[in-house]
Amino acid sequence: MSDSGVLHIKGRVLVGADPDGGVRDELWAVDGRITFERPVGARDVTTVEGWALPGLVDAHCHVGLDAHGPVDESTAEKQALTDRDAGALLLRDAGSPSDTRWIDDREDLPRIIRAGRHIARTRRYIRNYAHEIEPDDLVAYVAREARRGDGWVKLVGDWIDRETGDLSSCWPRGEVAAAIAEAHRLGARVTAHCFAEESLAPLVEAGIDCIEHATGLTEETIPLFAERGVAIVPTLVNIATFPRLADGGEGKFPRWADHMRRLHARRYETVRAAYDAGIPVFVGTDAGGSLAHGLVGQEVAELVKAGLPPLAALSATTWSARSWLGRPGLEEGAPADIVVYETDPRTDVRVLGSPKRVILRGRVIR
């Protein structure tokens, strides 16, 4: 790790998506913060050349969680380091039972925006992940997690119902509307895990801010999302696992398995239709449950495969994603969290998988 007093980034600094005004020739990091003014009399200057982006955003991951539940600090540290080395320097942790506040004191780890612990219906989610409650307690638990998180609350909007053998909504309209209103009163936004179709309209009409996965979007619900400005985080690298999950559950839940396969088959069409309708789309991997961390570059490539223009997919993990989460990009005075590449990521987003340099708070990490 470099402890240089001044870091000089030169080449092409991509400060925004505008092809005319979004590129600068250089910037400096002084005391961990960005400036576009050449420091006077600076000594011990380290120069890095290449194509620079703001630190990438993984807007749906889980630090402190694995397939079985909470993990120890050593494992959580490895998860955060893996994301960092992949260039993901801002993480929205979309639900975790672990206390990861200690990461905030580490200058060598990414910044995390937490949604607290998942809130799920009793026996309607993965074991050891969530608060499992009934609708009468929803408002109270949402208020609790709104106070504990970093401006987000995470609901489980649908999951397999063992009685019907298929995905179904978890919450009655009245209770979820009251819970979302309480979160908003406390200054928090609300997101929800949703695979299926039927849970979406009630959540959007109740005022939800974001939907995770959103594989159940249809011609009927896409205009509603667009009208209300509700964002989606598709997590396509996770949706790729649906056929395997369906194969594993087909013997017991054949309706569910068939539904999961159909959602998977139209995943790219769904994301492209959402983007074309003007729905905000952001990059998230769902790492930390059953998926490995460090997949942010793969998710951007998946969005391009789904039909997003490369610049839009890139913005979904950089400029627009940081703005959505209330964090700065490559701006005067902002923390110098920067990823540098050998070639132009706007031309080929696959370069995101191979950062040349990762810079965190003005220090060259790798």
Side-chain angles (χ1 to χ4, degrees):
M1 184 183 299
S2 172
D3 290 308
S4 300
V6 175
L7 184 65
H8 182 204
I9 309 294
K10 61 182 295 187
R12 308 300 283 166
V13 177
L14 305 178
V15 299
D18 182 352
D20 296 320
V23 182
R24 305 284 290 266
D25 293 328
E26 56 190 348
L27 64 73
W28 288 264
V30 180
D31 295 328
R33 295 197 170 267
I34 290 169
T35 182
F36 292 97
E37 296 184 10
R38 182 185 298 272
V40 177
R43 298 181 180 180
D44 193 21
V45 177
T46 299
T47 299
V48 175
E49 297 188 39
W51 297 80
L53 284 172
L56 307 184
V57 176
D58 187 339
H60 182 135
C61 65
H62 306 277
V63 176
L65 182 70
D66 68 7
H68 307 289
V71 300
D72 58 26
E73 287 192 4
S74 176
T75 303
E77 178 187 45
K78 291 176 183 177
Q79 293 173 337
L81 287 169
T82 300
D83 283 327
R84 181 202 72 183
D85 290 348
L89 306 185
L90 179 62
L91 313 176
R92 186 181 62 142
D93 192 315
S96 176
S98 297
D99 181 0
T100 59
R101 292 288 176 189
W102 58 271
I103 290 176
D104 295 347
D105 298 325
R106 290 275 298 270
E107 290 298 311
D108 61 330
L109 295 179
R111 288 290 179 250
I112 301 182
I113 298 170
R114 298 170 183 82
R117 189 170 186 172
H118 302 79
I119 302 173
R121 192 78 178 262
T122 307
R123 297 189 65 197
R124 293 284 299 279
Y125 200 48
I126 303 167
R127 186 179 300 176
N128 301 323
Y129 274 34
H131 296 299
E132 296 191 17
I133 63 169
E134 288 304 296
D136 287 349
D137 294 321
L138 183 58
V139 172
Y141 273 82
V142 164
R144 172 180 172 176
E145 295 308 304
R147 293 186 179 100
R148 288 183 172 182
D150 298 318
W152 284 91
V153 176
K154 170 73 175 294
L155 306 179
V156 176
D158 62 32
W159 197 252
I160 189 168
D161 184 331
R162 289 169 173 81
E163 293 184 5
T164 65
D166 200 359
L167 298 165
S168 66
S169 297
C170 292
W171 309 106
R173 284 175 180 258
E175 283 78 357
V176 80
I180 291 171
E182 178 66 3
H184 289 169
R185 186 185 71 82
L186 294 170
R189 289 185 277 182
V190 182
T191 192
H193 161 107
C194 293
F195 285 159
E197 295 85 354
E198 71 176 64
S199 59
L200 296 178
L203 287 168
V204 174
E205 290 165 354
I208 204 160
D209 302 282
C210 179
I211 294 292
E212 312 298 318
H213 318 301
T215 44
L217 279 170
T218 64
E219 291 181 356
E220 290 72 33
T221 50
I222 283 174
L224 181 62
F225 273 66
E227 176 189 340
R228 303 289 181 95
V230 177
I232 66 169
V233 183
T235 67
L236 287 168
V237 292
N238 176 45
I239 307 310
T241 68
F242 277 17
R244 175 175 56 81
L245 296 175
D247 290 346
E250 186 166 24
K252 192 172 183 180
F253 301 114
R255 286 181 57 193
W256 170 83
D258 178 67
H259 197 172
M260 294 289 279
R261 291 191 183 101
R262 286 186 282 111
L263 293 172
H264 173 266
R266 63 181 177 88
R267 66 198 186 281
Y268 293 143
E269 178 185 344
T270 299
V271 172
R272 178 56 190 262
Y275 172 79
D276 286 346
I279 295 173
V281 178
F282 298 106
V283 165
T285 65
D286 207 3
S290 59
L291 288 183
H293 285 255
L295 302 178
V296 65
Q298 292 183 36
E299 181 64 18
V300 176
E302 280 289 284
L303 290 180
V304 173
K305 191 172 181 180
L308 268 68
L311 191 60
L314 193 60
S315 185
T317 191
T318 54
W319 314 292
S320 63
R322 284 180 166 272
S323 177
W324 180 58
L325 293 173
R327 298 296 190 271
L330 301 182
E331 304 168 15
E332 186 72 30
D337 295 344
I338 305 165
V339 191
V340 180
Y341 300 93
E342 290 279 9
T343 57
D344 188 352
R346 301 171 302 177
T347 302
D348 185 353
V349 299
R350 290 176 298 180
V351 72
L352 297 180
S354 303
K356 176 182 179 180
R357 292 288 183 267
V358 175
I359 297 158
L360 199 57
R361 267 80 81 185
R363 307 170 78 185
V364 179
I365 298 293
R366 62 176 295 274

